[in-house]
């Protein structure tokens, strides 16, 4: 079956689904205005990946989990744990804010301030909320293309826990254990996980010298409720990785057995919540420490050290009134970055950011919702910014489930500390500024169609002649269409879901295409359930991508199988077979990808 036929089948399944979708269970999200509310109380399109879906599909890290979402594409520079790029509606990952329990995971010491999703394992995640489109009017920098908010599991009443063992292809093995406790006053949750793989070669071919990967993670949540109105919570997360890789400066390095890297990321947050009637306030302080060391042989044996520290303080006040909710927030951030290669002089940059923002959700009628945000950011280092969002959503009363929505927004992306420390001599960097809008229409979960259009001014790029970062004159453009559908055959215990994304335009300021963004992507999933088991099949079609040097990675389709069975009330077995037709493909030109592989996990709960 060629790729065109496979694509046609997937699109046909998507478009022929008709009128029998069921309503989803109510879901609470926090991403749209930093306060908890129903997923329906926002004009933005919010996608939620649940813990059940993460487990069912055998996703080992967050990058794998978001790869099947409409509008998102992921490109891997090798196997598990290798450098991963992701794009949201064509924008690079530095324009996407990633949060873990409210703590910012975007690493200021990376080139574009991206979060390293390849290091984020899924064992302790309760849900992943994804909002696409400009969200700087609430979250500030690194949110011009969207927000990915990861929420870890919270303890349930009493004492409980679980132990999981994983084994699979490429000598992959893992273990994770968690224990939780909760009573009327006190709650605690502790998780520790370990993942190790012999891996595949980072550079193609995949059977060249193997590049191993190890991930160690610890996550802690402590909470205390003084009374019905006052509570305090401490969150801590630490991820340490060791990664072997092939030096990317030469495609002849597939047998490179020296290049390796270590990373250590530590996030801590303390929150205090108070509520009185319809008024709530949340005060928080958090800190992120990021350290990465690369041992490279690109110019002879060398060591590249990247470090960054981010401190954040804030207050969120919200008030629920009869027709909506108003939010007032204050925020302060202090960001420091450091980079040094061998004994050469270090590059260092730091800046502070103060912000105030207002958000209001107002229900004009039972079917019509208006959402407005405005935010002012004051920067010590560069130009201050005002960003805003105005959105509307309307549900038709005469046709239950039919609705339309629109959002217009402005956003910005401040330079990363790495870019600030490596600017073209004599230049001053300023934030890139985005204007965009999205239009959507939906009928229940059966069919959702969204058109988006974003323009980015003053994008930041690297000058290969003057060796530094600078703002590019002109406007880069991103236009596209997303089509999504979920169709449950309730009498047959069968669920089918599908989505299709087409990028009309993802162009640089000079009109040339941006690299590594596929024009077309299709995801298809079918799951059959019995009382004790589930059977699933997923497929993904990825269209042509243009990579550096105008090299094409070609198109490909991957098929996966999933199986889960409750052996007893306490023990669950899952099997995940990936790339079952052993497709040879590349998502980044010159880099290897995983072949046919099988992973099994057994979990015991108490």
């Amino acid at each position: 079956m060629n790729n065109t036929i496979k694509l046609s089948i997937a699109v046909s399944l998507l478009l022929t689904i008709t009128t029998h979708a069921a309503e989803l269970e109510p879901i609470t999200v926090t991403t749209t205005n930093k306060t908890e509310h129903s997923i329906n109380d926002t004009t933005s399109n919010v996608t939620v990946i649940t813990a059940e879906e993460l487990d069912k599909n055998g996703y080992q890290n967050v990058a794998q989990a978001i790869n099947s979402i409409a509008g998102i594409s992921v490109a891997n520079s090798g196997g598990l744990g290798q450098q991963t790029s992701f794009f949201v509606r064509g924008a690079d990952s530095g324009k996407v804010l990633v949060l873990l329990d409210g703590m910012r995971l975007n690493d200021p010491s990376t080139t574009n301030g991206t979060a390293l999703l390849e290091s984020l394992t899924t064992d302790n995640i309760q849900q992943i909320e994804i909002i696409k489109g400009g969200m700087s009017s609430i979250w500030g920098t690194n949110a011009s293309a969207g927000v990915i908010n990861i929420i870890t599991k919270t303890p349930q009443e009493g004492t409980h826990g679980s132990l999981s063992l994983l084994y699979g292809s490429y000598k992959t093995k893992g273990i994770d254990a968690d224990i939780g406790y909760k009573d009327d006053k006190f709650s605690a949750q502790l998780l520790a996980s370990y993942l190790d793989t012999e891996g595949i070669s980072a550079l193609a071919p995949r059977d060249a010298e193997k590049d191993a990967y190890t991930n160690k993670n610890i996550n802690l949540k402590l909470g205390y409720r003084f009374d019905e109105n006052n509570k305090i919570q401490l969150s801590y997360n630490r991820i340490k990785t060791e990664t072997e890789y092939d030096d990317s400066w030469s495609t002849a390095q597939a047998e490179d057995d020296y290049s390796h890297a270590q990373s250590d990321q530590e996030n801590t947050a303390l929150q205090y919540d108070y509520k009185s009637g319809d008024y709530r306030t949340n005060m928080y302080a958090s800190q992120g420490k990021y350290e990465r060391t690369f041992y490279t042989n690109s110019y002879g044996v060398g060591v590249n050290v990247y470090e960054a520290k981010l401190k954040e303080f804030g207050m969120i006040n919200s008030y629920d009134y009869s027709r909506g909710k108003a939010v007032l927030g204050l925020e302060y951030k202090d960001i420091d970055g450091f980079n040094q290669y061998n004994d050469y002089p270090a590059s260092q940059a730091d800046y502070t950011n103060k912000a105030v923002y207002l958000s209001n959700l107002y229900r004009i009628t039972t079917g019509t919702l208006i959402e407005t945000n405005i935010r002012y950011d004051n920067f010590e280092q560069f130009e201050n910014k005002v960003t805003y969002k105005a959105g509307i959503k309307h549900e038709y009363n005469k046709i239950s489930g039919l609705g339309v929505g629109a959002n217009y927004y402005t956003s910005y992306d401040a330079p990363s500390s790495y870019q600030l420390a490596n600017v073209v001599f004599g230049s001053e960097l300023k934030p890139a500024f985005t204007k965009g809008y999205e239009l959507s229409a939906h009928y229940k979960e059966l069919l959702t169609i969204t058109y988006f259009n974003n323009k980015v001014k003053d994008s930041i790029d690297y000058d290969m002649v003057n060796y530094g970062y600078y703002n590019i004159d002109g406007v880069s453009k991103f236009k596209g269409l997303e089509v999504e559908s979920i169709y449950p055959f309730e009498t047959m215990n069968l669920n089918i879901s599908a989505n299709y994304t087409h990028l009309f335009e993802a162009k640089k300021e000079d009109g040339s295409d941006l690299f590594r963004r596929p024009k077309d992507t299709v995801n298809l999933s079918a799951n059959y359930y019995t009382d004790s088991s589930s059977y699933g099949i997923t497929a993904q079609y990825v269209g042509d991508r243009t990579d550096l040097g105008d090299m094409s990675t070609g198109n490909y389709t991957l098929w996966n199988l999933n199986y889960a069975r409750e052996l007893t009330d306490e023990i669950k077995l899952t099997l995940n077979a990936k790339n079952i037709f052993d497709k040879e493909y590349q998502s980044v030109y010159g880099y290897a990808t995983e072949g046919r592989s099988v992973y099994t996990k057994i979990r015991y709960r108490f």
Side-chain angles (χ1 to χ4, degrees), residues 119-132:
S119 300
L120 272 174
T121 53
T122 56
D123 302 307
N124 197 34
I125 294 175
Q126 180 62 41
Q127 68 180 39
I128 303 173
E129 302 170 13
I130 300 166
I131 293 185
K132 292 163 283 187

Side-chain angles (χ1 to χ4, degrees), residues 115-325:
L116 304 175
L117 295 190
E118 65 271 23
S119 300
L120 272 174
T121 53
T122 56
D123 302 307
N124 197 34
I125 294 175
Q126 180 62 41
Q127 68 180 39
I128 303 173
E129 302 170 13
I130 300 166
I131 293 185
K132 292 163 283 187
M135 291 297 293
S136 290
S137 56
I138 287 291
W139 294 98
T141 187
N142 295 116
S144 65
V147 178
I148 297 174
N149 188 19
I150 301 161
I151 298 171
T152 59
K153 293 175 181 174
T154 54
Q156 308 299 311
E157 292 291 336
T159 303
H160 55 86
S162 69
L163 175 67
S164 299
L165 299 174
L166 168 75
Y167 190 78
S169 300
Y170 311 112
K171 298 184 179 178
T172 302
K173 49 189 177 296
I175 181 171
D176 68 83
D178 69 87
I179 185 166
Y181 172 80
K182 182 180 179 183
D183 60 23
D184 293 340
K185 295 285 188 180
F186 179 70
S187 64
Q189 176 99 7
L190 174 65
L191 175 136
S193 68
Y194 174 83
L195 178 66
D196 179 81
T197 182
E198 184 178 81
I200 59 175
S201 173
L203 282 168
R206 69 168 68 117
D207 59 356
E209 181 267 341
K210 294 180 173 56
D211 292 300
Y213 173 69
T214 301
N215 182 302
K216 301 172 185 174
N217 176 216
I218 186 168
N219 184 280
L220 173 67
K221 271 184 179 178
L222 296 174
Y224 187 79
R225 184 182 294 276
F226 298 96
D227 53 42
E228 290 186 355
N229 299 324
N230 296 272
K231 66 178 182 180
I232 192 168
Q233 178 170 298
L234 174 69
S235 302
Y236 176 79
N237 192 73
R238 188 171 187 179
I239 306 168
K240 297 182 72 171
T241 67
E242 295 179 4
T243 311
E244 297 174 356
Y245 67 100
D246 294 325
D247 198 291
S248 59
W249 290 96
S250 168
T251 55
Q253 288 285 337
E255 298 291 343
D256 173 13
D257 62 356
Y258 172 76
S259 299
H260 59 288
Q262 300 166 348
S263 73
D264 188 351
Q265 179 172 333
E266 191 174 13
N267 295 87
T268 309
L270 181 65
Q271 299 186 63
Y272 167 70
D273 289 284
Y274 169 77
K275 67 175 182 178
S276 176
D278 294 323
Y279 170 75
R280 293 173 182 245
T281 188
N282 170 272
M283 291 184 284
Y284 61 91
S286 68
Q287 176 174 278
K289 294 171 65 177
Y290 312 85
E291 298 177 4
R292 294 176 295 126
T293 304
F294 288 80
Y295 300 86
T296 173
N297 58 5
S298 55
Y299 300 108
V301 175
V303 181
N304 226 331
V305 177
Y306 303 86
E307 296 178 0
K309 183 180 290 184
L310 189 156
K311 297 177 182 176
E312 184 174 3
F313 306 92
M315 173 185 284
I316 306 165
N317 302 278
S318 67
Y319 179 71
D320 290 284
Y321 56 98
S322 59
R323 286 183 174 268
K325 176 188 283 188

Side-chain angles (χ1 to χ4, degrees), residues 20-165:
H20 303 291
E23 298 288 348
L24 288 179
E25 291 296 322
I27 297 175
T28 298
V29 297
T30 59
T31 312
T32 52
N33 62 8
K34 299 189 179 182
T35 67
E36 289 187 0
H37 56 80
S38 164
I39 194 172
N40 296 318
D41 288 336
T42 176
T43 60
S44 298
N45 290 325
V46 184
T47 302
V48 174
I49 303 174
T50 65
E52 181 186 12
E53 292 169 317
L54 294 173
D55 190 44
K56 177 184 68 181
N57 290 293
Y59 298 132
Q60 293 162 326
N61 59 43
V62 174
Q64 293 174 353
I66 65 170
N67 193 30
S68 61
I69 303 300
I72 298 179
S73 62
V74 175
N76 300 302
S77 299
L80 187 63
Q82 297 296 326
Q83 181 179 358
T84 298
S85 303
F86 65 98
F87 306 95
V88 175
R89 292 180 171 173
D92 68 72
S93 54
K95 298 177 175 58
V96 182
L97 178 64
V98 180
L99 304 153
L100 180 74
D101 293 329
M103 301 179 288
R104 291 173 183 260
L105 298 185
N106 291 63
D107 183 346
S109 71
T110 59
T111 302
N112 61 352
T114 185
L116 304 175
L117 295 190
E118 65 271 23
S119 300
L120 272 174
T121 53
T122 56
D123 302 307
N124 197 34
I125 294 175
Q126 180 62 41
Q127 68 180 39
I128 303 173
E129 302 170 13
I130 300 166
I131 293 185
K132 292 163 283 187
M135 291 297 293
S136 290
S137 56
I138 287 291
W139 294 98
T141 187
N142 295 116
S144 65
V147 178
I148 297 174
N149 188 19
I150 301 161
I151 298 171
T152 59
K153 293 175 181 174
T154 54
Q156 308 299 311
E157 292 291 336
T159 303
H160 55 86
S162 69
L163 175 67
S164 299
L165 299 174

